[in-house]
Amino acid sequence: LDQFLDEVLLERAVAAAQPPVTGATPAERRRAYLSRRAGLEKLDDTDLRRDYGAHPDRYRRPALVRVSQMFFPTREAADAALRRLKDGAAWMDVSRGSSAAPNAAAGGALGLLARSDLPQEFEKAIWALPAGGTTGILAAPHGFHVFRVEERLDARDITFEEARPGLRISLAEELSAKAVEDAIAEARKAFPVTVLEDHLPFPYVGTNPKAAAAR
């Protein structure tokens, strides 16, 4: 219910805005109102650089490894696959022919992972590998794994130029969320809301003031 009331209050805020907001539809008018209120049209590199400098941890990329895996239900199947790899068979061929991983046909790619993303029981074995390195057979309760490190990326700071597109989006979202919050708070003062609980088919547990309806 509170979410619905907030939507109504935001509509009231848009309708009461001065100067009036233009737009062909309510959604367009709301976007224009929030954009104006949040100052999105005035966002420039100065704002983005200020936000970039204020949150250095957001733009520090940890060391990463690009990992692929093969999975086998039995030790015998894992041994046979590992022998093929040692004899020079391509990882992709062995994966397609022997692995039971869901994405075996694509080589079992797991993507880029930080050390903290790796399963604890496999972390040391995987992290110790160079690019192109393959683990031995690693046992798990549900079967047997072989991992390959495709690529290693060192930890580094993301530059402002790299971060700019994401910075603009995140800062715009942050300012827009604040604009919504402030608009609803002001509208609640201008258009007070009281919930008449007796008119509802369920108990009201929201945060708006409530009063029992006259009987």
Side-chain angles (χ1 to χ4, degrees), residues 136-157:
I137 298 168
L138 302 177
H142 52 282
F144 300 86
H145 296 262
V146 176
F147 295 93
R148 174 182 169 87
V149 171
E150 309 290 349
E151 179 184 13
R152 296 191 68 103
L153 300 175
D154 293 334
R156 71 178 182 87
D157 291 334

Side-chain angles (χ1 to χ4, degrees), residues 49-120:
R49 287 187 182 278
R50 185 184 304 115
D51 195 66
Y52 175 81
H55 304 98
D57 290 346
R58 293 182 185 175
Y59 306 105
R60 187 165 296 128
R61 192 193 69 189
L64 301 171
V65 288
R66 191 182 302 279
V67 179
S68 299
Q69 73 158 342
M70 286 192 275
F71 172 73
F72 309 94
T74 67
R75 179 79 189 210
E76 291 74 20
D79 282 332
L82 198 58
R83 282 196 299 270
R84 290 186 61 198
L85 289 174
K86 289 179 177 178
D87 289 342
W91 175 275
M92 183 68 76
D93 293 340
V94 178
S95 177
R96 288 173 175 168
S98 305
S99 176
N103 59 346
L110 299 178
L112 283 169
L113 302 173
R115 186 163 190 167
S116 58
D117 297 326
L118 298 172
Q120 188 173 2

Side-chain angles (χ1 to χ4, degrees), residues 19-36:
V21 180
T22 59
T25 67
E28 288 181 5
R29 291 191 289 275
R30 176 185 292 199
R31 282 195 296 270
Y33 170 75
L34 292 175
S35 177
R36 184 173 75 190

Side-chain angles (χ1 to χ4, degrees), residues 119-142:
Q120 188 173 2
E121 63 269 36
F122 306 140
E123 173 215 334
K124 289 183 179 178
I126 294 172
W127 202 255
L129 292 173
T134 302
T135 67
I137 298 168
L138 302 177
H142 52 282

Side-chain angles (χ1 to χ4, degrees), residues 172-192:
E173 289 176 346
E174 182 180 323
L175 292 172
S176 296
K178 182 66 164 56
V180 169
E181 181 182 328
D182 290 346
I184 291 173
E186 289 180 12
R188 184 171 279 111
K189 292 179 181 178
F191 310 102

